[in-house]
Amino acid sequence: MSTIDKQYIDVKCIKATQPIGPMFIGVIDSEDLEKITYADVRRLIEDSGNREIEDYIGIQRKLDTKRAKNEIGKYVNLVDATFPNSIILSISSENAQYIESEGILRILYKDDIAKVLDGQHRIAGFEYYNNQRGTFELIVTIYIDMELEDQAIVFATINKEQRNVSGSLVTDLFAFAESRSPQKTGHNIARALNNKENSPFYNKIKILGNADSSSETITQSTFVESLLKYITKDKQLDRDFYRRNKNKKNAKLDYVDSKDAERLFLRNIFIDDESDIKIAQILWNYFWAVQHKWPTAWNEVANNNILNKSTGFIALMRFFKLAYLSFNKPNEIITKEEFKSIFDLITLEEEDFNRQKYVPGGIGQSALYNDLKEQSGL
């Protein structure tokens, strides 16, 4: 690695090709790495916002300055200090050029040209490095012109292993993906139903990036996962299909029939309706009937009320399949009144939806589902 008149950094690289795209693996002096990532790391320290990945995912990721100083800042000055793992960066092609004949990645020597996908604490620790330049080099993996969707997925993949990123975070990654996927459909429907006034889910879903609300009782992850089991057997394979065929206008997944048509009763609608409006409307109509039947239990947030929390919601989503299929109108929108006719048969009262009758968790979910099934006669 060399620095040319402080205008560029020349990094000897190995180019590796993976399905997500090419990456460049090399070594950069810690001082130079601090320079090109300074503003990105500083935004984490100051919590000043305007970081694309965090804004995209809808989270706040603030750098722990105490850890950077007291742990890493001390560690980098030890006689046997080492960081064997790669720091992962994303850089625009406006600021980096790969010279293939020389195996060199030429990077503009300028502040704020590299985004740190992983390794921000290690970089911040070098603010306290006391030894001279060139005595601590760091392994880097660099992506060039990486789409924001892919940056976010790399970020989440790394951090899910290390810090148990929530399921709702992973769900949220698909919000602005260019290609379709079951995950994106689930995300879009969750947000639409949560944001629309008069929706039975208005302000009930805990959407990442939104301020906490006392009315939010269902996580985005729970909502989406409960929905996707009726759309796909393998959400990653479906997503992969759409990404591979994103430039083919008429590319479609295969329709389901026979037993799969019952188990995945929303799949053919998902395939045909790229706007996702039909599935959203079916869910709206179904949960309108729930809300109409038990308005207090559905709308009221109380510790002992389980209907509008995961126990009640998951049981209702299991019952949703029976209710929808009972009308024998595949791929059609079942109306509010039709769903209401099923709930009219159920004798459960508002006060029945308590933690004593339906214990939170799988046991309570199964008990409520069985009661709904038995009382409705489905």
Side-chain angles (χ1 to χ4, degrees):
M1 185 211 70
S2 63
T3 304
I4 305 175
D5 298 327
K6 292 290 184 179
Q7 293 180 349
Y8 299 98
I9 305 168
D10 275 358
V11 182
K12 279 280 188 183
C13 282
I14 297 171
K15 181 181 178 181
T17 301
Q18 294 186 355
I20 202 169
M23 63 178 74
F24 302 91
I25 301 108
V27 172
I28 297 182
D29 184 76
S30 56
E31 186 176 313
D32 292 332
L33 190 58
E34 276 192 274
K35 171 69 175 177
I36 65 174
T37 62
Y38 176 81
D40 196 54
V41 173
R42 181 58 50 184
R43 278 191 285 268
L44 285 175
I45 295 172
E46 296 173 353
D47 195 23
S48 59
N50 298 317
R51 296 192 86 252
E52 281 187 307
I53 295 174
E54 282 74 10
D55 292 342
Y56 176 85
I57 300 174
I59 64 166
Q60 292 180 342
R61 180 176 62 133
K62 190 173 180 179
L63 190 138
D64 185 343
T65 53
K66 287 185 178 179
R67 180 187 171 205
K69 180 179 180 180
N70 298 334
E71 294 181 27
I72 301 175
K74 288 181 180 179
Y75 176 75
V76 296
N77 289 292
L78 297 178
V79 68
D80 57 353
T82 179
F83 290 125
N85 294 332
S86 185
I87 287 170
I88 303 178
L89 307 176
S90 173
I91 303 178
S92 167
S93 59
E94 294 179 1
N95 300 311
Q97 177 189 7
Y98 182 57
I99 304 171
E100 191 163 5
S101 61
E102 301 179 38
I104 287 174
L105 187 66
R106 181 161 289 170
I107 303 171
L108 188 65
Y109 190 71
K110 182 182 177 183
D111 181 29
D112 201 20
I113 60 99
K115 283 186 280 186
V116 183
L117 303 188
D118 188 60
Q120 65 275 5
H121 280 94
R122 279 169 280 169
I123 296 171
F126 279 94
E127 185 177 343
Y128 310 98
Y129 186 56
N130 298 324
N131 296 314
Q132 64 183 8
R133 176 188 178 85
T135 57
F136 207 134
E137 296 178 321
L138 295 164
I139 303 167
V140 293
T141 297
I142 300 170
Y143 293 96
I144 304 298
D145 286 340
M146 193 180 211
E147 292 181 8
L148 189 54
E149 174 191 358
D150 291 329
Q151 290 180 42
I153 288 171
V154 168
F155 164 81
T157 300
I158 295 166
N159 285 277
K160 188 173 186 181
E161 294 300 320
Q162 295 178 359
R163 287 178 285 279
N164 193 27
V165 169
S166 72
S168 290
L169 166 57
V170 178
T171 297
D172 219 35
L173 291 175
F174 300 93
F176 303 109
E178 292 184 5
S179 54
R180 276 199 98 201
S181 69
Q183 299 97 315
K184 182 178 180 181
T185 287
H187 170 97
N188 289 345
I189 291 173
R191 290 222 169 198
L193 294 179
N194 186 69
N195 294 338
K196 187 71 174 176
E197 288 189 41
N198 300 320
S199 159
F201 287 101
Y202 183 58
N203 284 343
K204 285 195 180 305
I205 302 172
K206 296 177 183 177
I207 300 291
L208 285 167
N210 288 0
D212 289 339
S213 168
S214 59
S215 65
E216 295 171 350
T217 57
I218 303 163
T219 68
Q220 185 178 357
S221 177
T222 297
F223 180 97
V224 172
E225 289 304 313
S226 297
L227 172 60
L228 293 195
K229 68 181 182 181
Y230 300 134
I231 291 175
T232 180
K233 287 192 290 190
D234 193 325
K235 59 190 176 185
Q236 292 301 92
L237 279 181
D238 287 348
R239 177 178 176 271
D240 185 66
F241 172 86
Y242 282 114
R243 292 209 72 184
R244 290 177 187 275
N245 295 282
K246 65 181 180 181
N247 295 321
K248 298 177 182 177
K249 194 171 183 181
N250 298 320
K252 278 192 173 186
L253 292 164
D254 292 333
Y255 292 114
V256 291
D257 52 25
S258 188
K259 288 184 179 179
D260 275 347
E262 287 194 3
R263 186 161 65 88
L264 302 173
F265 64 94
L266 296 178
R267 184 168 179 80
N268 291 342
I269 301 176
F270 164 75
I271 292 170
D272 284 337
D273 180 22
E274 295 191 2
S275 70
D276 299 325
I277 290 174
K278 286 184 73 173
I279 293 176
Q281 186 64 63
I282 293 166
L283 283 170
W284 181 309
N285 292 349
Y286 175 75
F287 280 96
W288 174 90
V290 172
Q291 186 181 44
H292 185 272
K293 176 71 175 180
W294 303 292
T296 301
W298 182 253
N299 294 319
E300 187 178 88
V301 179
N303 288 335
N304 203 37
N305 176 29
I306 60 91
L307 187 65
N308 58 17
K309 296 176 184 169
S310 60
T311 300
F313 174 76
I314 292 171
L316 287 166
M317 284 299 289
R318 287 181 64 187
F319 185 66
F320 171 51
K321 174 184 171 183
L322 294 180
Y324 183 89
L325 293 175
S326 71
F327 293 99
N328 197 26
K329 295 164 66 175
N331 308 325
E332 294 186 29
I333 294 175
I334 306 303
T335 67
K336 294 175 182 177
E337 291 301 321
E338 285 174 318
F339 280 128
K340 179 179 175 295
S341 69
I342 290 176
F343 286 101
D344 285 343
L345 301 172
I346 297 171
T347 59
L348 286 171
E349 301 290 340
E350 303 260 15
E351 57 271 17
D352 289 323
F353 300 106
N354 59 73
R355 296 164 69 94
Q356 291 72 44
K357 186 177 178 69
Y358 300 112
V359 179
I363 294 174
Q365 293 162 17
S366 293
L368 177 53
Y369 167 75
N370 289 331
D371 285 348
L372 294 170
K373 180 180 176 181
E374 181 181 347
Q375 294 181 20
S376 65
L378 295 182

